[in-house]
Amino acid sequence: GAGVSQSPRYKVAKRGQDVALRCDPISGHVSLFWYQQALGQGPEFLTYFQNEAQLDKSGLPSDRFFAERPEGSVSTLKIQRTQQEDSAVYLCASSLGARANTGELFFGEGSRLTVL
Amino acid sequence: GENVEQHPSTLSVQEGDSAVIKCTYSDSASNYFPWYKQELGKGPQLIIDIRSNVGEKKDQRIAVTLNKTAKHFSLHITETQPEDSAVYFCAASKGNNDMRFGAGTRLTVKP
């Protein structure tokens, strides 16, 4: 497709379950970012990939969060043993350039995770 | 690390009036300041950006100003229309992987 695609759009999980969120970035985009957006807040940085390399994971809130981009295109954000505080919209963004300030970030529509 | 403050959190204007949203940042090394518009159920979309070597940039009804000394930047929307209603986010980046966003301003344009 022409834009960043995320799936699933909505996910309801019971506390303790593992979830996996998928991001298909724009073809050819070098940079891929994951953000967490709580209700009524701005996006909070989670992690960054440059091609297949995860260069920054400083924003991941705990070791229950894991992200990968094995072939430098599709990325998966995995959350293990989900907690209620993990409920949020998870946004994926891609960029043609190699750094956050080199151009536009193109965002997907997000995956809304609700943990019961 | 960088801290971006945005205000107001909500803004209601009459159609045709102007709207101004202000942001401050803490890290003087930040050099790229984009503004994103987020409609309900959508991801943020870039509407305008400015770099630290420029003081003002305009694109039709939208303009952004940057004061590096005071470390603040503002979004100006003139002749507002109902379709401008959305949540607007400012952000700041200093060239690394981290772009920090403000908490957002919910703009409502009343017809």
Side-chain angles (χ1 to χ4, degrees):
Chain A
V4 177
S5 178
Q6 291 188 246
S7 61
R9 289 292 314 279
Y10 304 93
K11 176 68 178 178
V12 178
K14 292 183 179 179
R15 189 164 57 93
Q17 281 185 331
D18 298 348
V19 300
L21 308 176
R22 177 188 168 105
C23 173
D24 276 274
I26 294 173
S27 178
H29 276 197
V30 169
S31 298
L32 187 145
F33 303 80
W34 282 99
Y35 286 85
Q36 180 189 60
Q37 186 174 26
L39 190 65
Q41 298 297 315
E44 295 278 348
F45 171 80
L46 292 177
T47 188
Y48 163 73
F49 290 85
Q50 185 179 115
N51 296 310
E52 71 279 3
Q54 188 176 22
L55 299 186
D56 188 346
K57 53 182 181 179
S58 62
L60 296 177
S62 78
D63 57 8
R64 296 186 295 103
F65 287 71
F66 171 77
E68 60 182 4
R69 192 186 186 197
E71 297 178 357
S73 55
V74 171
S75 177
T76 303
L77 176 66
K78 298 179 180 178
I79 309 173
Q80 297 176 323
R81 305 181 302 281
T82 52
Q83 304 294 317
Q84 285 189 323
E85 60 264 28
D86 300 335
S87 297
V89 174
Y90 291 86
L91 293 166
C92 175
S94 70
S95 175
L96 184 62
R99 294 185 298 176
N101 70 342
T102 57
E104 180 175 356
L105 293 188
F106 292 84
F107 282 87
E109 294 189 324
S111 292
R112 179 179 295 277
L113 172 65
T114 303
V115 181
L116 303 177
Chain B
E2 176 66 276
N3 183 45
V4 178
E5 300 284 341
Q6 180 173 349
H7 60 95
S9 57
T10 61
L11 179 60
S12 182
V13 300
Q14 207 65 38
E15 182 177 1
D17 287 350
S18 295
V20 180
I21 303 170
K22 299 182 179 182
C23 287
T24 60
Y25 61 99
S26 60
D27 193 337
S28 56
S30 291
N31 56 19
Y32 176 62
F33 308 92
W35 286 88
Y36 283 82
K37 175 183 180 182
Q38 187 173 29
E39 297 176 337
L40 194 62
K42 304 285 187 181
Q45 184 173 12
L46 180 73
I47 55 172
I48 195 167
D49 57 12
I50 192 168
R51 298 190 181 275
S52 58
N53 59 346
V54 175
E56 184 174 357
K57 184 176 178 180
K58 189 173 181 180
D59 182 4
Q60 299 182 348
R61 296 186 297 109
I62 296 173
V64 57
T65 58
L66 171 65
N67 183 325
K68 287 190 295 182
T69 303
K71 294 206 283 287
H72 68 70
F73 55 114
S74 300
L75 176 72
H76 304 253
I77 306 174
T78 58
E79 301 170 23
T80 53
Q81 302 167 2
E83 51 266 37
D84 294 330
S85 296
V87 179
Y88 291 81
F89 294 98
C90 62
S93 174
K94 57 183 179 182
N96 55 6
N97 317 312
D98 191 359
M99 183 172 296
R100 298 283 177 163
F101 286 81
T105 297
R106 181 173 298 279
L107 173 65
T108 303
V109 180
K110 299 177 182 178

